[in-house]
Amino acid sequence: MKKYDEMYVDRVKCIKAGFVRTKKGVCKMTVLERLYYKGKLDFGSLGAGAIDRLKAGEYLASDYEKGHFNVIGSAWGGEKVDCGSSNISSGILTEMRSRYFMAAKSVPSEFWPIVRRVCIENEFPKIDNSYSERKKGEIAYLQYCDLCRGLDRLIEFYHKIKIQL
């Protein structure tokens, strides 16, 4: 039996952790949404806005989740003895996986680690604590610029395959 800690949770700590109150209840924002509200997605080309970068990152995360990359299991589990698939949605799964791979391919390799970290792994960029505060700020600025440039490439990719952002 689980024992729940019934201590009071501070409102400031919840806001810092990314929880927001909406009409539907309390939900937790993703790292990409938190960066959007902080104004960190405003770097990059002038042709794309922060909302376009947010949507492109959300589409990438959606393609990743719909492709079932985070599911551990056998790929042969849905195959019958007569080589027919018992999984009806295997065509959609293949389409989502190929779209994710094409989207990942459209982002240059120097921008991909930060785009993957923020959009897929849902983590903030890491900065080494051994640096001074000024150096940390410079590194953070460069990482956010790289993130925005990678998301700009995703915007171009999704426009090319005719997905409205």
Side-chain angles (χ1 to χ4, degrees):
M1 185 156 99
K2 275 190 173 179
K3 184 177 179 182
Y4 293 103
D5 189 12
E6 296 183 9
M7 293 182 60
Y8 178 74
V9 179
D10 190 18
R11 181 176 187 264
V12 176
K13 287 182 182 177
C14 286
I15 291 171
K16 190 175 181 181
F19 288 96
V20 292
R21 184 177 300 276
T22 62
K23 291 180 182 179
K24 295 182 180 180
V26 178
C27 62
K28 186 170 183 176
M29 291 191 298
T30 64
V31 170
L32 192 64
E33 290 172 334
R34 291 168 72 183
L35 291 177
Y36 169 73
Y37 287 113
K38 288 182 180 179
K40 302 293 184 184
L41 298 181
D42 291 329
F43 309 114
S45 68
L46 298 175
I51 190 75
D52 294 331
R53 292 185 185 100
L54 174 68
K55 288 181 181 179
E58 288 175 346
Y59 273 119
L60 179 71
S62 174
D63 290 343
Y64 180 81
E65 288 175 8
K66 289 177 183 174
H68 295 286
F69 289 107
N70 52 357
V71 177
I72 299 173
S74 173
W76 304 104
E79 192 169 310
K80 293 181 179 178
V81 177
D82 62 353
C83 296
S85 178
S86 63
N87 188 1
I88 298 169
S89 64
S90 64
I92 296 170
L93 181 70
T94 305
E95 180 184 340
M96 289 298 146
R97 285 186 176 191
S98 67
R99 192 162 84 180
Y100 170 76
F101 286 134
M102 289 189 304
K105 199 177 190 183
S106 71
V107 178
S109 61
E110 58 267 12
F111 305 144
W112 178 246
I114 189 71
V115 170
R116 178 172 172 76
R117 180 173 196 81
V118 171
C119 296
I120 305 298
E121 296 171 5
N122 201 25
E123 295 177 0
F124 282 103
K126 282 190 180 177
I127 301 170
D128 193 12
N129 287 330
S130 65
Y131 294 124
S132 66
E133 289 300 316
R134 180 176 179 191
K135 187 71 172 177
K136 285 181 190 177
E138 291 173 356
I139 292 172
Y141 175 77
L142 292 174
Q143 287 183 343
Y144 293 134
C145 285
D146 287 348
L147 174 66
C148 290
R149 289 189 283 181
L151 291 174
D152 287 344
R153 302 294 171 86
L154 281 176
I155 291 169
E156 293 171 8
F157 168 74
Y158 285 120
H159 278 301
K160 199 183 308 180
I161 62 169
K162 309 236 185 311
I163 292 181
Q164 294 294 327
L165 296 180

